[in-house]
Amino acid sequence: MTSDRPNGVSAGETGPLSFDTSVAHQARVYDYLLGGKDNYAADRAAAEAALRVYPEWAFTARANRALLGRVVRFLAADAGIRQFLDIGTGIPTAGNTHQVAQDIAPESRVVYVDYDPIVLAHARALLTSHESGATEYIDADLRDTGTILAQAAELLDFAKPVAVTLIAILHAIPDSDDPYAIVRRLMDAVPSGSYLALSHLGLEFLAPETLEEMQGMSSNIQQRFAYRSGEQVARFFEGTDLVDPGLVKVEEWRPEPGNGDQGSSALWCAVGRKR
Ligand SMILES: C[S@@+](CC[C@H](N)C(=O)[O-])C[C@H]1O[C@@H](n2cnc3c(N)ncnc32)[C@H](O)[C@@H]1O
C-alpha cells in the first residue's frame, strides 16, 4: 500500500499512520536497531544510513529500552505506582511495561498507546495481562490527548496516581504541535503523586555536522525528529519534582550493576513526581 501522506507528519495532522512499508517508520527502525524482526527493507536501509553517520544509534536504542525497564521497576517497586499510561509503546519486545510492572505488582493496570499500524498488529502480545491486573491498547496519536484520556479512563482510575511514560516519543512531535501543551494536558488529568517519565533526543549529544547530516536524511523516514536541549527537555517537567539523579543520559539513570553494555547514547531522560 502506498502512503497518502508526504514524508513527515505535518502540524495538526493526527491519527494512525498508514501501513506503508516503502517508507521507514520510527517503530520499525527502532525494532531493527534492537535486533528485532518486525522491519522492512526501507527501515533497515534508513537505520544503516543513520548508523553510518552516527554509529551510537544501536547503543542508544538498547540503552533506551533498558531505561524503560529500570524506570517501570522504580515506579512499581519504589514509588508504589499501579497504573501506567504508556504512550509510544513500540513493537512489543522483551520487557514490555506490563510485564515489568506486573512482575513486581501483578495488579498493575497498563494502557498502551501508539499510532503505528505495525504496533497495532502486534498488540495482542501487550494484552497478556496477569489475571490480577489488566492491560488495554489504544490506537491513537499522542497529539489527540482527548481520545487517549477518554479511552484510558475505561481502565485507569484518574483519581489515583498514574505514571505517564513517554519513552522516546516526544522528539517525534515538532514545536508546531506544541509538545509542552500535550504533556500539560496529560499531567493535568492525573492527581498529585502521579509521575511523568520520558526520554528524548538531546541536541547536545551530536556534533553540529552530524546533526545536520541526520536532519538531511529525514526524507527517508516517516517522522521528523526534533532534537531538544537539556533545558528544553527539563521544561516538560514543570509542576513535578525530579527524582534522583534528575535529568541525565538514559544510561546514567540509576544504572544497574552487571550491565556490560557500554556506549554513549543521544538521549536525555528524567522521572518527575507531580506536586
Ligand atoms: C522509538 S519507539 C519507543 C518504544 C518504547 N517506548 C521504548 O522506549 O522502547 C517510539 C514509538 O512512538 C510511536 N509514536 C511516534 N509518534 C507518535 C504519535 N504522535 N502518537 C503515537 N505514537 C507515536 C512510534 O510509532 C513508535 O512506536
Side-chain angles (χ1 to χ4, degrees):
M1 199 195 300
T2 49
S3 174
D4 54 359
R5 296 173 190 236
N7 286 327
V9 179
S10 53
E13 188 182 4
T14 63
L17 292 179
S18 57
F19 198 99
D20 182 357
T21 58
S22 70
V23 177
H25 278 199
Q26 185 189 10
R28 302 187 307 233
V29 171
Y30 182 62
D31 175 76
Y32 177 73
L33 291 172
L34 288 176
K37 301 258 178 286
D38 296 303
N39 48 71
Y40 295 86
D43 307 304
R44 295 189 282 277
E48 290 297 341
L51 283 166
R52 280 193 291 279
V53 173
Y54 183 70
E56 292 283 6
W57 284 130
F59 174 78
T60 296
R62 292 194 303 274
N64 182 70
R65 190 67 193 177
L67 170 87
L68 182 143
R70 297 198 303 281
V71 163
V72 174
R73 268 195 295 284
F74 162 80
L75 291 166
D78 301 341
I81 290 292
R82 298 294 177 261
Q83 306 194 97
F84 295 82
L85 180 54
D86 179 341
I87 311 178
T89 303
I91 296 167
T93 178
N96 300 304
T97 297
H98 75 285
Q99 292 159 330
V100 179
Q102 292 184 347
D103 265 355
I104 293 160
E107 70 275 27
S108 297
R109 299 167 88 77
V110 178
V111 172
Y112 290 108
V113 182
D114 206 292
Y115 72 164
D116 196 309
I118 190 131
V119 182
L120 175 65
H122 290 273
R124 198 174 305 135
L126 301 167
L127 302 175
T128 55
S129 176
H130 189 284
E131 58 188 18
S132 323
T135 60
E136 194 49 86
Y137 182 82
I138 303 174
D139 180 27
D141 191 310
L142 167 59
R143 289 164 289 192
D144 191 1
T145 49
T147 297
I148 292 173
L149 291 169
Q151 291 190 23
E154 291 173 21
L155 195 80
L156 306 180
D157 177 357
F158 281 104
K160 295 187 181 146
V162 176
V164 177
T165 59
L166 294 164
I167 309 294
I169 177 174
L170 278 170
H171 42 244
I173 305 291
D175 287 346
S176 53
D177 283 339
D178 200 349
Y180 296 101
I182 291 171
V183 173
R184 209 174 310 123
R185 288 200 294 278
L186 293 170
M187 294 310 289
D188 280 351
V190 297
S192 167
S194 293
Y195 283 81
L196 170 66
L198 64 85
S199 63
H200 195 299
L201 285 173
L203 191 58
E204 298 86 344
F205 304 137
L206 269 61
E209 54 280 10
T210 309
L211 196 58
E212 209 175 303
E213 265 195 88
M214 284 305 306
Q215 278 164 343
M217 290 166 47
S218 65
S219 61
N220 61 2
I221 180 159
Q222 184 95 28
Q223 290 87 357
R224 287 203 187 97
F225 297 120
Y227 292 73
R228 296 193 171 96
S229 68
E231 203 180 322
Q232 289 170 322
V233 175
R235 273 184 52 210
F236 286 114
F237 290 91
E238 271 172 19
T240 75
D241 295 313
L242 294 191
V243 304
D244 283 343
L247 183 75
V248 291
K249 290 173 100 166
V250 288
E251 64 273 28
E252 292 166 0
W253 198 89
R254 301 185 180 222
E256 286 167 359
N259 177 355
D261 201 6
Q262 299 291 324
S264 179
S265 82
L267 289 163
W268 287 112
C269 75
V271 176
R273 183 178 191 274
K274 184 174 174 179
R275 287 183 206 117

